[in-house]
Amino acid sequence: MVDTFLEHMLRHMRWDPFRKIRGYIIGMIPEPVRKIVGLILLIFGAVALLRFYPGMLFYMMSDLMSMITLFVGISSIALGRMFLRHKG
């Protein structure tokens, strides 16, 4: 029972449901441009998050605007890292 459970867990850990989506998104951008796009997305995400913090503290952004800014910042940083870390 232990061996079969361990094999099941290892099989489940290797299965990545986002592999096809990630490959499709990365495949849309040519290789020489990926690093530039990744850096632009990282910078854009950092600026969006830097705008989020003072906006919430001092300027009382609305809830919807703060959630949109937070989502855009985090997703830009995630996509930028994905483009920069992709090897081939």
Side-chain angles (χ1 to χ4, degrees):
M1 179 78 178
V2 175
D3 292 336
T4 58
F5 179 71
L6 180 61
E7 289 173 0
H8 172 71
M9 290 303 293
L10 289 175
R11 207 174 330 124
H12 181 67
M13 286 172 51
R14 274 187 265 146
W15 181 70
D16 187 10
F18 297 109
R19 185 178 299 165
K20 288 183 180 180
I21 297 170
R22 191 180 315 139
Y24 180 72
I25 291 172
I26 290 175
M28 288 176 21
I29 309 248
E31 280 189 45
V33 183
R34 281 187 199 146
K35 202 169 256 191
I36 297 168
V37 170
L39 286 173
I40 290 171
L41 283 171
L42 276 177
I43 292 169
F44 182 74
V47 168
L49 287 180
L50 286 174
R51 173 69 181 114
F52 170 73
Y53 292 121
M56 283 301 293
L57 291 176
F58 301 118
Y59 301 117
M60 300 299 173
M61 291 171 59
S62 68
D63 291 337
L64 180 63
M65 188 65 186
S66 64
M67 294 304 284
I68 290 172
T69 306
L70 184 66
F71 177 74
V72 167
I74 290 174
S75 61
S76 293
I77 289 175
L79 280 173
R81 284 190 65 219
M82 185 174 70
F83 286 142
L84 287 176
R85 292 177 56 104
H86 187 69
K87 299 290 186 218

